[in-house]
Amino acid sequence: MTTQPNYITPAGFAALRAEYDQLLGVERPRIVEVVSWAAGNGDRSENGDYLYGRKRMREIDGQLRRLSKKMKDAKVVDPRQQPDKSRVYFGATVTIADEDDNHRTVTIMGNDEADAGAGRIGWGSPIARALRGAAVGDLRRVMLPAGEKEYEVIEITYPE
């Protein structure tokens, strides 16, 4: 089984790095300090600061592991460097129209950067998979939870 590369934009990678640095450099040391202080107050079984602090430290450590793995597996791709801007690839902003001529504009981003409400869809999403390699005027069928839909590619742009 081949796994899909975890593509991410430079900005998306920077956001992962910033979150990792914030957790490791600011939040975790603060929690360690609270836990150390609370541990010195005696009975730990009824000490809310100690119990909450230990729980929060486990959450932070888990998030640090997840972020570290995401950054290790990430393949940073700058959409501005795309050599063939006439087709849909990672980082493309694509305007599509359905059978009823309803237009929708989506930007194909890394799965970790996806935010459908903001028009950013993950590289592994059904629509992104269907659009890969398409040129303006191409028709693509997409299987969505509501059923199959056909889209026409109206416009393809990349960041400058």
Side-chain angles (χ1 to χ4, degrees):
M1 182 177 131
T2 2
T3 57
Q4 195 80 9
N6 184 26
Y7 293 122
I8 192 165
T9 63
F13 189 83
L16 287 179
R17 169 56 72 186
E19 183 180 355
Y20 183 89
D21 291 345
Q22 168 70 20
L23 286 171
L24 186 65
V26 177
E27 276 195 60
R28 193 174 192 289
R30 193 180 74 231
I31 295 296
V32 167
E33 192 176 307
V34 169
V35 169
S36 296
W37 169 82
N41 289 339
D43 186 7
R44 296 176 184 176
S45 65
E46 295 181 14
N47 186 327
D49 286 329
Y50 179 80
L51 295 174
Y52 170 77
R54 294 285 304 184
K55 178 179 183 279
R56 180 68 185 127
M57 201 170 347
R58 283 191 301 276
E59 291 169 356
I60 289 172
D61 289 345
Q63 183 66 4
L64 286 169
R65 278 191 301 279
R66 283 188 292 282
L67 289 168
S68 177
K69 181 166 178 16
K70 281 182 182 182
M71 288 188 298
K72 182 176 158 283
D73 295 343
K75 179 165 177 30
V76 179
V77 176
D78 188 345
R80 294 174 297 190
Q81 306 301 316
Q82 181 54 251
D84 181 2
K85 292 183 167 68
S86 69
R87 296 197 170 270
V88 177
Y89 297 110
F90 181 82
T93 297
V94 187
T95 302
I96 53 178
D98 64 13
E99 296 100 334
D100 301 322
D101 203 32
N102 296 318
H103 287 60
R104 177 177 176 195
T105 300
V106 296
T107 300
I108 300 173
M109 309 292 283
N111 293 328
D112 294 327
E113 302 171 272
D115 179 358
R120 294 191 309 264
I121 61 172
W123 175 249
S125 72
I127 292 177
R129 285 196 317 265
L131 291 173
R132 287 183 200 163
V136 172
D138 285 358
L139 297 175
R140 295 297 171 101
R141 290 194 181 282
V142 182
M143 185 52 88
L144 299 170
E148 191 175 71
K149 257 192 144 160
E150 187 172 70
Y151 291 102
E152 179 182 356
V153 177
I154 304 298
E155 182 183 25
I156 303 167
T157 59
Y158 285 88
E160 292 303 314

